[in-house]
Amino acid sequence: MSGDHKHDHKHEGADDHAGHAHNHGGIFGANTELFFALGSGVALVVGFALQKLVPDISGWIPLALFLCAYALGGFFTVGEAVENLKRRRFEIDTLMLVAAAGAAALGHWAEGSLLLFLFSLGHALEHYAMGRAKRAIEALGELAPRTARVRRGQDIVETPVEQLEIGDLVVVRPNERLPADGFVVAGNTSINQAPVTGESMPVDKHPVADPAEARTRHASITSASIVFAGTINGTGAIEIETTRKSTDTTLAKVVRMVSEAETQKSPTQRFTDRFERIFVPLVLVLTFVLLFAWVVVDEPFRDSFYRAMAVLVAASPCALAIATPSAVLSGVARAARAGVLIKGGAPLESLGAINAIAFDKTGTLTEGRPRITDVVPFEGVDATELLRVAVAVERLSDHPLAEAIARDGAERLGNIAVQTASSLHSLTGKGVTAQLDGQTVFIGKPEMFGTDGVSPLDASARQTVGQLREQGRTLMVVRHGSRDLGVIGLLDTPRPAAREALDKLRTMGVQRMIMISGDHQKAAEAIAAQVGLTEAWGDLMPDHKVEAIKGLRSGANVAMVGDGVNDAPAMATATVGIAMGAAGSDVALETADVALMGDDLSKLPFTIGLSRQTRSIIRQNLFVSLGVVAFLVPATIFGLGIGPAIALHEGSTLLVVFNALRLLAYRERL
């Protein structure tokens, strides 16, 4: 995509914070690091208590306990430091070990133990907290069952989902989770699709009319027959024919993309990385200089060394390193639970800064299921001939307007036979051509005629088109050979949730909302008025939509909301591309920065609100992390000890992580 962030799907920086994202296992499983940290704390407290409360005790007993605290507290820290050094990185873990070794060299075993205890406890709790966000993502992948009941002839065999092949017939009982993506071939039911699309109400499902056609033309399958792995069957038993292997299901793709989103850096994250690359060397230089403070200040080397170690600890940007990734991961996980796929930190942050939104009309603000409203034959042609030619050609196309003409036209023809057309060719944004009875058929917008070598309409035809256009109809003119047969008028239906969603966006402060459409201006204005928009741009070809988005971007951050297929160029040009109804659509999932998995426009205000809350939390985290460092560095220079510095430092790290985790509980404000 154009713009600074568009579709940079490299795993940039996947390891940049490896020291902050390990899932440490061991004899206690994922909680091993936490048990080691708590063990370090127990050894520290007992050793300190014996040292202070039992003055006659032998000195080696408290020392042994402090050494135990060192070993337990530093165990995982040493491991991370070694891994970082192998990758030629000098990070926070190494700095902490140097500071602990310095405290030991000074004989401050208790303070060194406190340093490693608090650091290891902070990391253990940080990993635990981050694990919660990751588990919210991983839980999606666990929704699909491990086995499926597959029909093999007259038998039903239980098979691991990994062994399912495309075309297998799978039997799903009532109240079971579906094991695969596919389409219904037998049985009626309602399915809870919330795990994939976020829809709050179950969706009625029924079998496809023609399994053979569905098998060869997936685009002909309506949403009422499409099912997804991981969704929950209702009270009816059904059979589905699988259309994807287990590794390629919509659910698997969502889990994979959301997991990859963790590695996509946001603008703030890139800023903090640049800041750290400058800041850490400065800290090391400052520490080295402070080691020689005794040369200038009248104090023993021991005090200078202690102060240098305290500054080293205080200035380590641990909270800063985790401030943005924790918020991004939590925000992406929360969106995924609501049926919204956000591909990383860049679109998550950018969406919160959106102040203009362009909407495609068909399938976005409308149901995408237009109906024939007018069949107007030209002079010397009857309506039956017009419909027979139109239905014969449009049956070959999967465009929503073509489907409407084929469906409604066939209903109007009743039992009248329709011939078979061939050689369908699409003229993007204009119409189609095909062969019927040895002659070429043109069906498309009136604007198609008279351009690109297609002869124009005569005066009476243009007059008829003009009259229908004034009524806001979408028009398709039909020409067979050299004869203009007539014009078919269609009208789409606005989505019930469209007006409410647009009102919410307006309340949220989105300054400008525009509908851009390939339909003629009057049709665009008619739909815009019904959904509450004041701006509607019609008669736009795909390249014109791109130019329109470029014009909007000159003065605003623009989101483009479309279906992810014919609107892909415009979505790629926008600051953020948002695909509607992306469940099951590979093109939409790959094209968009943000994918609303269900056909639910009400998710858009939720997503923008979540993005704004994420931006707010990132700013709070940066303020806390930088503020603590700004306070601690001068404070330790002027005498603050390692103990209080560590407590404040690690406290700030935990604070920013738990602040970020608030996003997992985000709810849209009504």
Side-chain angles (χ1 to χ4, degrees):
M1 282 192 174
S2 61
D4 295 337
H5 70 278
K6 305 316 284 180
H7 295 305
D8 182 13
H9 287 174
K10 298 173 187 173
H11 290 203
E12 174 189 14
D15 300 321
D16 278 11
H17 304 294
H20 301 278
H22 293 317
N23 182 18
H24 295 306
I27 57 174
F28 300 109
N31 293 321
T32 299
E33 186 180 16
L34 181 59
F35 284 117
F36 271 51
L38 293 176
S40 173
V42 170
L44 168 63
V45 170
V46 173
F48 186 78
L50 290 175
Q51 189 180 59
K52 297 297 182 183
L53 301 178
V54 188
D56 296 333
I57 195 171
S58 175
W60 67 266
I61 296 178
L63 178 60
L65 288 166
F66 291 146
L67 287 172
C68 182
Y70 260 72
L72 292 171
F75 183 82
F76 287 104
T77 307
V78 169
E80 292 184 0
V82 170
E83 288 299 316
N84 287 327
L85 290 174
K86 284 180 180 178
R87 293 195 296 268
R88 298 180 181 179
R89 291 155 107 166
F90 194 67
E91 293 195 355
I92 179 68
D93 316 286
T94 311
L95 302 184
M96 288 299 172
L97 288 175
V98 171
L106 293 169
H108 290 276
W109 292 101
E111 289 178 317
S113 300
L114 177 65
L115 164 60
L116 290 176
F117 161 61
L118 288 175
F119 184 70
S120 61
L121 179 64
H123 260 210
L125 293 176
E126 175 188 312
H127 297 152
Y128 173 78
M130 292 289 286
R132 284 190 58 197
K134 288 190 176 183
R135 283 193 293 275
I137 296 171
E138 291 165 356
L140 291 172
E142 296 169 1
L143 292 175
R146 302 299 180 201
T147 60
R149 278 183 291 276
V150 182
R151 186 176 293 283
R152 307 284 191 205
Q154 298 301 314
D155 299 324
I156 296 178
V157 181
E158 192 157 308
T159 305
V161 293
E162 294 82 7
Q163 296 179 16
L164 287 178
E165 297 292 335
I166 295 173
D168 279 346
L169 290 178
V170 176
V171 177
V172 184
R173 294 172 180 169
N175 303 314
E176 285 185 341
R177 288 190 183 272
L178 275 69
D181 283 11
F183 55 87
V184 182
V185 293
N188 292 276
T189 190
S190 61
I191 291 180
N192 178 359
Q193 297 189 156
V196 173
T197 66
E199 293 167 284
S200 58
M201 298 296 292
V203 179
D204 291 337
K205 300 290 180 179
H206 56 72
V208 294
D210 186 347
E213 182 185 10
R215 207 167 289 127
T216 55
R217 290 181 61 230
H218 288 172
S220 68
I221 310 172
T222 66
S223 60
S225 299
I226 297 174
V227 295
F228 306 106
T231 56
I232 306 167
N233 189 21
T235 56
I238 57 173
E239 286 190 27
I240 65 171
E241 182 170 320
T242 60
T243 54
R244 290 191 175 105
K245 293 188 175 183
S246 62
T247 53
D248 296 325
T249 64
T250 298
L251 183 64
K253 288 180 180 177
V254 170
V255 174
R256 187 161 57 247
M257 288 181 172
V258 173
S259 298
E260 289 172 357
E262 179 191 352
T263 69
Q264 312 300 322
K265 290 191 176 182
S266 71
T268 306
Q269 214 169 329
R270 289 195 291 269
F271 161 76
T272 56
D273 287 347
R274 289 194 299 269
F275 176 83
E276 286 175 34
R277 282 197 293 270
I278 298 170
F279 182 70
V280 170
L282 289 177
V283 170
L284 295 175
V285 171
L286 176 61
T287 302
F288 182 77
V289 170
L290 288 173
L291 284 173
F292 296 95
W294 59 275
V295 176
V296 179
V297 181
D298 185 17
E299 66 179 12
F301 172 74
R302 177 190 184 113
D303 292 349
S304 296
F305 187 84
Y306 183 90
R307 183 188 296 110
M309 293 302 102
V311 170
L312 185 65
V313 170
S316 299
C318 193
L320 181 64
I322 203 67
T324 305
S326 58
V328 167
L329 183 57
S330 297
V332 168
R334 175 65 186 96
R337 287 214 317 260
V340 179
L341 173 59
I342 301 178
K343 295 183 182 176
L348 180 61
E349 279 199 51
S350 298
L351 193 59
I354 290 299
N355 47 27
I357 304 177
F359 296 90
D360 176 49
K361 179 179 78 69
T362 305
T364 302
L365 292 175
T366 65
E367 295 283 2
R369 287 181 59 82
R371 308 289 302 190
I372 290 179
T373 55
D374 306 272
V375 178
V376 182
F378 294 147
E379 186 176 350
V381 181
D382 63 42
T384 299
E385 182 183 3
L386 169 59
L387 284 174
R388 286 179 65 187
V389 172
V391 170
V393 172
E394 299 291 37
R395 275 180 174 173
L396 303 177
S397 174
D398 56 9
H399 190 280
L401 292 176
E403 291 179 354
I405 292 174
R407 180 190 65 243
D408 293 356
E411 288 180 3
R412 292 185 180 221
L413 288 171
N415 295 324
I416 298 175
V418 175
Q419 294 171 276
T420 301
S422 62
S423 304
L424 182 78
H425 177 64
S426 176
L427 305 174
T428 305
K430 297 178 180 180
V432 297
T433 66
Q435 295 297 313
L436 182 68
D437 293 335
Q439 294 182 300
T440 300
V441 177
F442 287 87
I443 303 180
K445 298 177 182 179
E447 292 78 15
M448 180 175 76
F449 299 88
T451 62
D452 297 331
V454 181
S455 58
L457 300 173
D458 62 28
S460 63
R462 291 197 299 272
Q463 182 179 2
T464 302
V465 166
Q467 291 171 350
L468 285 173
R469 180 164 283 173
E470 288 300 316
Q471 301 174 37
R473 304 290 193 260
T474 297
L475 304 180
M476 304 298 284
V477 176
V478 181
R479 172 179 289 170
H480 188 195
S482 59
R483 298 175 62 220
D484 291 330
L485 303 185
V487 59
I488 297 174
L490 304 100
L491 193 64
D492 206 349
T493 307
R495 290 182 181 274
R499 178 178 280 273
E500 182 182 356
L502 296 178
D503 288 343
K504 282 185 180 180
L505 291 170
R506 209 170 278 116
T507 303
M508 294 170 68
V510 178
Q511 299 166 0
R512 193 175 183 190
M513 290 184 284
I514 310 103
M515 184 176 75
I516 60 177
S517 174
D519 286 340
H520 61 83
Q521 185 64 30
K522 290 291 183 180
E525 289 174 355
I527 294 295
Q530 293 182 59
V531 298
L533 286 178
T534 56
E535 286 188 81
W537 301 348
D539 299 308
L540 298 180
M541 298 292 108
D543 55 333
H544 297 153
K545 290 183 180 181
V546 171
E547 293 304 316
I549 296 296
K550 285 181 179 177
L552 289 170
R553 282 202 69 176
S554 62
N557 292 317
V558 182
M560 170 66 194
V561 187
D563 63 10
V565 183
N566 58 343
D567 296 309
M571 293 199 308
T573 306
T575 310
V576 180
I578 303 172
M580 280 281 296
S585 169
D586 294 338
V587 176
L589 286 174
E590 293 296 333
T591 302
D593 299 302
V594 178
L596 309 182
M597 302 304 291
D599 259 356
D600 187 359
L601 201 60
S602 68
K603 287 291 191 299
L604 186 56
F606 162 84
T607 308
I608 291 178
L610 174 63
S611 174
R612 290 182 176 180
Q613 180 71 0
T614 303
R615 286 167 59 89
S616 174
I617 281 180
I618 288 174
R619 285 195 296 268
Q620 294 167 16
N621 285 355
L622 292 179
F623 179 80
V624 169
S625 54
L626 290 173
V628 167
V629 170
F631 166 75
L632 284 180
V633 170
T636 49
I637 290 176
F638 291 106
L640 184 69
I642 288 180
I646 285 297
L648 284 170
H649 183 278
E650 293 307 315
S652 68
T653 300
L654 290 176
L655 180 61
V656 299
V657 171
F658 288 122
N659 188 42
L661 286 174
R662 292 193 298 126
L663 287 167
L664 291 175
Y666 173 79
R667 291 180 181 273
E668 183 182 356
R669 293 185 180 89
L670 300 178

